[in-house]
């Protein structure tokens, strides 16, 4: 019986992590899932929002039903810091046609991500890099595996810059 429960827990962890990846991707652009399946142009690029915050992943404050980008409020401190990241790399989706950032968190970061996503289901979280929100996905489920993609629609050069900035923050 214990083996079955562990298997079920492993499957749920895998599915939950997958849901978070899809959530990040699908909420940044409503056309993300359709990209390339219908020979469409890439999704619209998320327009960064200036904020006075350090690099990291933040919970939003006062979210009710929709996000007014001009007035988005973030927690004072990030829930996840660059130092919580174990690995960052540029990879692609859609058979190599759509560049994304793959993020793997360390154990402490994975625990923080679980708490952040568990407490913010149905609400956006904000990725801040260089005092700008670069992505704001809606959390659809708690994730436990500490791995996700940031699919932002930026050119590859910008993705490389974001990865370098976050890697520098890992060292501090």
């Amino acid at each position: 019986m214990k083996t079955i429960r562990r298997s079920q827990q492993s499957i749920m962890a895998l599915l939950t992590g997958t849901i978070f990846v899809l959530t990040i991707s699908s909420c940044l652009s409503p056309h993300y899932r359709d990209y390339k399946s219908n020979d469409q142009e890439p999704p619209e690029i998320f327009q960064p929002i200036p904020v006075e915050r350090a690099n990291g992943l933040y919970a939003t404050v006062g979210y009710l039903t929709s996000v007014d980008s001009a007035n988005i409020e973030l927690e004072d401190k990030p829930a996840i810091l660059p130092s919580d990241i174990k690995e960052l790399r540029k990879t692609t989706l859609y058979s190599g046609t759509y560049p994304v950032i793959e993020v793997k968190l360390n154990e402490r970061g994975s625990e923080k991500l679980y708490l952040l996503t568990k407490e913010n289901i149905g609400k956006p979280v904000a990725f801040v890099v260089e005092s700008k929100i670069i992505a704001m996905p809606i959390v659809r489920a708690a994730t436990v595996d500490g791995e996700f993609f940031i699919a932002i629609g930026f050119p590859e050069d910008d993705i490389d810059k974001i990865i370098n900035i976050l890697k520098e923050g890992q060292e501090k």
Side-chain angles (χ1 to χ4, degrees):
M1 189 64 119
K2 288 183 181 179
T3 305
I4 292 172
R5 286 189 182 166
R6 283 189 185 137
S7 295
Q8 288 173 336
Q9 289 173 341
S10 297
I11 290 169
M12 286 304 295
L14 177 64
L15 290 174
T16 303
T18 303
I19 289 168
F20 190 64
V21 169
L22 294 176
T23 299
I24 290 172
S25 303
S26 63
C27 74
L28 294 178
S29 170
H31 307 293
Y32 185 85
R33 292 180 303 267
D34 300 327
Y35 171 59
K36 284 295 178 187
S37 63
N38 296 323
D39 293 324
Q40 294 179 352
E41 290 298 312
E44 186 176 313
I45 295 174
F46 181 85
Q47 297 302 313
I49 302 167
V51 293
E52 292 296 323
R53 295 286 191 276
N55 295 341
L57 181 60
Y58 290 79
T60 55
V61 178
Y63 177 80
L64 297 174
T65 58
S66 65
V67 176
D68 177 4
S69 297
N71 297 316
I72 191 72
E73 290 184 50
L74 306 180
E75 291 283 335
D76 291 333
K77 295 182 180 180
I80 297 174
L81 299 162
S83 60
D84 295 318
I85 298 171
K86 181 166 95 175
E87 184 181 336
L88 282 165
R89 72 182 187 103
K90 180 173 59 176
T91 188
T92 56
L93 299 177
Y94 296 114
S95 302
T97 59
Y98 190 78
V100 297
I101 300 170
E102 182 178 6
V103 180
K104 293 182 181 182
L105 300 174
N106 59 31
E107 189 174 330
R108 182 182 67 230
S110 295
E111 291 170 7
K112 290 179 178 182
L113 180 64
Y114 171 72
L115 292 174
L116 175 69
T117 55
K118 178 182 167 195
E119 294 169 2
N120 288 283
I121 293 173
K123 300 175 186 176
V125 292
F127 290 98
V128 175
V129 177
E130 287 196 315
S131 299
K132 293 182 195 101
I133 298 173
I134 62 164
M136 215 165 31
I138 304 285
V139 176
R140 299 284 180 222
T143 186
V144 294
D145 67 356
E147 297 182 17
F148 57 92
F149 293 99
I150 304 172
I152 51 182
F154 288 169
E156 286 191 53
D157 290 346
D158 289 348
I159 289 174
D160 291 334
K161 181 179 176 187
I162 290 166
I163 288 172
N164 289 333
I165 291 166
L166 293 174
K167 281 184 176 180
E168 287 174 10
Q170 286 176 295
E171 298 167 3
K172 293 180 179 179

